[in-house]
Amino acid sequence: MDCLNLNEPHSMGTTIIGVTYDGGVVLGADSRTSTGVYVANRASDKITQLTDNVYVCRSGSAADSQIVSDYVRYFLHQHTIQLGQPATVKVAANLVRLLAYNNKNMLQTGLIVGGWDKYEGGKIYGVPLGGTILEQPFAIGGSGSSYLYGFFDQAWKEGMTKEEAESLVVKAVSLAIARDGASGGVVRTVTINADGVTKNFYPGDTLPLWHEEIPAQNSLLDILSAPSPEPMSM
Amino acid sequence: MSKAAVDLPPKGGFSFDLCKRNDMLAKKGLTGPSFRKTGTTIVGLIFQDGVILGADTRATEGPIVCDKNCEKIHYMAPNIYCCGAGTAADTEAVTDMVSSQLQLHRYHTGRESRVITALTLLKKHLFSYQGYVSAALVLGGVDCTGPHLHTIYPHGSTDTLPFATMGSGSLAAMAMFESKYKEGLSRDEGIQLVVEAICSGIFNDLGSGSNVDVCVITKGHKEYLRNHLLPNPRTYINEKGYSFPKKTEVLMTKITPLKERVEIIETGDAMEE
């Protein structure tokens, strides 16, 4: 195998998900950022804030997605000041789409924009590579999403409650982590509704175990540093 | 090459004479020598009162160590320091540039610089060069919002972490951090862990070596411990000593002044407009 090249551009292998429910949206993501085969950051936060009520899930090139979300946050801030009220999710998604489409030759990033506003309620917009914008009841993205298309076709239903939506997202991300090498770490979720924003964090050992997965064990370091047992006597 | 060719005077520029030969050899299976990136081990961690940065001190040019004791921890602001890995010229230039920008910003605002400001300036610059400025940085400092530690990659992406390593020795150093790091380390425990991580890079990575530099930054105070540890002392010293040949012998000295001294005579009136 090729020796690891630490100068490869950072990419977020990733699994990102956005799901609408009755009253808001739930965004979810894994936390692995890889440079080639080395995990550069095992606890990254791929769900970035654009405004108080709109968040975006980032996938693809880490640098490109960070710069795009920085620009959109800046434009949205100006827009909010000029408009005099919170920006809508549709405007945020369209700003993301304009940057992604007009720079399609230079950017390599897939994004899922999700949030809540008082006009439309909870909305999810997918902005994949190329800069299409597609409003969907749920969206999945990143390398791990390949393993989730069938799962969502079967498991997603209209009019879920907040708890159902969040557990669906956590289950889906953990399934993708189990099968996709470029996804891993912890599962982060952000729930946005009329009451505000709630962020949650699910470390690896709280996730359900799937086929052939073994339960987490204590690190050898804890066992080794324990005091040695009494010597046996005959 | 060909004897029938006209003899042209040698022009400057790259000589492509051997390219055909290299191609032929490559087809036969002989791979040419590869260039090694400058190796390094740089680390940072957040402890109880602030941030500790560490670096090795080896600078390489391909397989040769060109500087056994270089400084990889660069000054950005009185409360912010930055370790640099990658091409030495790029890390020096980019940290100097942002350090000046921060100074101007301090004059402009009248406030202490924040680590996020340095981060955004570096990130914007590196992204606009699309990874061609080969600088991988570990930026750490303490400002009014608390201690911060960030890593910045050549393509412009950044991560915010409680402990970070970069450079060719980053895997060796990260192994030490992953097994021994915990939150709320004391100053001595933190320095000890940083030293262990850098030593792990020095002894296990060919691109890192020589000594350990440490920099401790806390609220309102910083300590730059240059050569905090010297685990590679020069042990063999020839007892006979070295004798060098005498310098050039002076046969004759003659000094010829080229210009005469000009005498200034004070005239009467002063100049008038």
Side-chain angles (χ1 to χ4, degrees):
Chain A
M1 194 177 73
D2 205 18
C3 72
L4 40 92
N5 179 9
L6 292 166
N7 297 309
E8 290 239 349
H10 253 29
S11 90
M12 296 177 300
T14 307
T15 307
I16 49 174
I17 301 180
V19 156
T20 54
Y21 70 91
D22 186 23
V25 299
V26 180
L27 298 173
D30 73 307
S31 69
R32 180 172 286 187
T33 310
S34 42
T35 333
V37 298
Y38 177 62
V39 177
N41 188 352
R42 60 177 167 87
S44 39
D45 189 2
K46 301 182 189 181
I47 311 178
T48 320
Q49 184 184 26
L50 293 180
T51 68
D52 288 338
N53 54 319
V54 181
Y55 279 67
V56 63
C57 298
R58 304 179 286 110
S59 76
S61 156
D64 290 350
S65 66
Q66 282 179 9
I67 289 286
V68 165
S69 43
D70 283 350
Y71 271 117
V72 174
R73 193 182 312 125
Y74 165 61
F75 292 141
L76 273 176
H77 188 210
Q78 287 185 321
H79 172 71
T80 306
I81 292 170
Q82 290 169 349
L83 194 65
Q85 58 184 32
T88 57
V89 190
K90 185 182 264 195
V91 166
N94 273 291
L95 284 171
V96 172
R97 182 259 304 182
L98 285 169
L99 276 175
Y101 178 77
N102 289 323
N103 296 293
K104 61 160 75 190
N105 294 325
M106 286 157 309
L107 292 174
Q108 198 180 53
T109 167
L111 303 144
I112 297 180
V113 183
W116 183 94
D117 58 50
K118 68 183 189 200
Y119 299 105
E120 305 261 351
K123 282 285 183 211
I124 292 281
Y125 292 85
V127 182
L129 254 52
T132 322
I133 181 170
L134 193 54
E135 200 256 295
Q136 299 164 299
F138 68 87
I140 55 180
S143 59
S145 65
S146 318
Y147 309 100
L148 296 175
Y149 284 100
F151 172 73
F152 268 93
D153 282 345
Q154 187 252 0
W156 189 80
K157 32 188 214 312
E158 190 82 46
M160 287 187 288
T161 66
K162 182 171 76 146
E163 288 71 27
E164 283 178 335
E166 181 141 353
S167 67
L168 176 68
V169 164
V170 173
K171 187 174 178 187
V173 178
S174 74
L175 279 167
I177 287 176
R179 287 291 179 180
D180 178 33
S183 302
V186 304
V187 179
R188 293 190 197 272
T189 63
V190 173
T191 308
I192 314 171
N193 51 32
D195 305 322
V197 175
T198 324
K199 294 190 193 176
N200 274 319
F201 159 81
Y202 299 84
D205 48 3
T206 60
L207 298 174
L209 288 171
W210 305 115
H211 179 55
E212 282 178 342
E213 286 195 310
I214 52 179
Q217 297 183 329
N218 282 330
S219 156
L220 262 182
L221 290 168
D222 297 331
I223 301 169
L224 286 173
S225 62
S228 46
E230 294 284 343
M232 287 201 293
S233 58
M234 293 288 272
Chain B
M1 295 271 289
S2 157
K3 288 196 178 107
V6 178
D7 265 344
L8 292 165
K11 284 187 198 167
F14 188 72
S15 160
F16 288 91
D17 293 342
L18 291 173
C19 288
K20 215 168 172 184
R21 176 207 87 148
N22 290 342
D23 268 344
M24 186 265 294
L25 284 172
K27 282 198 188 75
K28 291 199 172 168
L30 180 75
T31 48
S34 60
F35 291 98
R36 235 186 340 116
K37 276 296 203 169
T38 42
T40 296
T41 308
I42 50 175
V43 306
L45 63 71
I46 296 197
F47 74 110
Q48 210 174 352
D49 308 319
V51 174
I52 307 181
L53 300 173
D56 74 306
T57 60
R58 175 181 284 186
T60 53
E61 260 172 27
I64 307 202
V65 176
C66 59
D67 189 347
K68 289 184 274 189
N69 204 3
C70 70
E71 280 186 32
K72 299 186 189 180
I73 307 186
H74 308 288
Y75 168 88
M76 297 285 270
N79 56 324
I80 307 173
Y81 274 75
C82 184
C83 305
T87 307
D90 286 341
T91 58
E92 280 285 345
V94 95
T95 47
D96 275 353
M97 180 192 83
V98 172
S99 167
S100 323
Q101 288 178 344
L102 284 176
Q103 173 86 304
L104 286 170
H105 194 246
R106 275 201 293 285
Y107 286 137
H108 213 70
T109 58
R111 290 174 166 79
E112 189 187 56
S113 293
R114 299 192 190 189
V115 184
I116 310 239
T117 318
L119 180 74
T120 311
L121 290 167
L122 285 164
K123 164 203 268 249
K124 286 279 161 74
H125 181 81
L126 291 174
F127 181 80
S128 60
Y129 282 89
Q130 287 291 293
Y132 284 99
V133 173
S134 179
L137 310 164
V138 170
L139 175 71
V142 180
D143 57 33
C144 58
T145 50
H148 295 277
L149 180 69
H150 302 282
T151 52
I152 309 161
Y153 292 84
H155 285 262
S157 60
T158 60
D159 284 316
T160 309
L161 295 161
F163 56 91
T165 67
M166 295 278 258
S168 58
S170 64
L171 268 65
M174 187 51 97
M176 296 307 292
F177 274 168
E178 283 284 19
S179 55
K180 296 189 181 178
Y181 179 82
K182 51 188 206 297
E183 278 183 25
L185 289 164
S186 71
R187 182 180 176 277
D188 291 330
E189 287 175 330
I191 294 182
Q192 172 68 15
L193 183 55
V194 161
V195 162
E196 275 178 354
I198 299 286
C199 283
S200 151
I202 286 175
F203 296 119
N204 300 104
D205 173 45
L206 299 179
S208 311
S210 301
N211 319 120
V212 182
D213 283 350
V214 175
C215 183
V216 184
I217 311 173
T218 53
K219 182 91 184 127
H221 180 65
K222 62 154 190 283
E223 265 180 85
Y224 185 62
L225 304 167
R226 169 76 171 146
N227 286 357
H228 176 68
L229 187 70
L230 296 114
N232 292 305
R234 190 175 176 191
T235 41
Y236 174 70
I237 302 165
N238 193 345
E239 312 97 42
K240 281 189 264 184
Y242 297 95
S243 68
F244 294 103
K246 294 194 187 77
K247 59 180 198 243
T248 318
E249 232 180 291
V250 177
L251 297 174
M252 183 183 76
T253 310
K254 181 182 172 196
I255 301 171
T256 316
L258 293 172
K259 267 190 187 172
E260 285 178 29
R261 278 192 140 284
V262 177
E263 292 289 329
I264 302 164
I265 307 156
E266 289 283 338
T267 48
D269 296 332
M271 281 204 291
E272 279 181 83
E273 289 274 322

